[in-house]
Amino acid sequence: AIPLQDGATFQLTDLDGAPITLAALRGKVVWINFWASWCPPCQQETPILRDLSNRYRDRGLEIVGISVQETSVDDVAAYARRYELPYTIGFDGSGHVFGTYKVFALPTQFFLDATGTIVQVVNGPVDEPGAIALIESLLPAAATPGP
């Protein structure tokens, strides 16, 4: 559950209704992406998130897309299917999480290190080279192949 300013917690769930907790992702580098299916910059960066999720998951990257300002879970699920998104998507129908993180623009990205500390906030869409550089700086070095 995500703590809110008043000490209450809000339970974010994925598209299947399962709870999403950041505590469960400790030890991984987490990229939280606030987005909406109707937002053109979000649509443009979606393939980048998909590709980098596939590329870096085995090295410990977890992407959590949090959809906000959407009509229904079904709309979001349809978008996820259309883009073949492999990462966890949370549905913030109430806007609680959006407000807690003080997000003002879509998309907005939060990058957390393996201890769960927010190390970088990017307001607006990411480009692939920038996202790769940031991810590489947070992940443990790739194992070098033996001789």
Side-chain angles (χ1 to χ4, degrees):
I2 295 170
L4 301 177
Q5 284 89 342
D6 60 6
T9 55
F10 168 73
Q11 185 63 69
L12 186 68
T13 56
D14 68 16
L15 299 180
D16 296 320
I20 298 171
T21 63
L22 291 179
L25 299 176
R26 282 289 145 71
K28 293 181 181 289
V29 170
V30 180
W31 174 357
I32 301 174
N33 172 259
F34 286 92
W35 64 282
S37 63
W38 46 262
C39 149
C42 302
Q43 294 162 7
Q44 289 161 9
E45 77 174 1
T46 293
I48 296 172
L49 275 92
R50 177 187 61 214
D51 295 349
L52 296 184
S53 176
N54 287 329
R55 186 183 315 175
Y56 287 104
R57 183 187 295 114
D58 291 347
R59 283 183 51 198
L61 176 70
E62 280 294 330
I63 296 179
V64 178
I66 300 181
S67 77
V68 296
Q69 300 173 353
E70 299 281 359
T71 315
S72 75
V73 174
D74 293 342
D75 292 347
V76 178
Y79 183 93
R81 277 194 304 276
R82 187 161 70 245
Y83 284 93
E84 299 177 353
L85 302 182
Y87 50 86
T88 300
I89 295 179
F91 182 72
D92 184 22
S94 64
H96 273 316
V97 182
F98 190 64
T100 299
Y101 278 86
K102 299 183 173 58
V103 176
F104 297 106
L106 291 175
T108 296
Q109 337 278 338
F110 290 83
F111 290 86
L112 285 64
D113 67 16
T115 69
T117 304
I118 295 172
V119 291
Q120 182 81 42
V121 179
V122 178
N123 292 301
V126 294
D127 62 15
E128 191 160 355
I132 288 172
L134 191 51
I135 291 165
E136 288 282 358
S137 74
L138 294 172
L139 285 174
T144 49

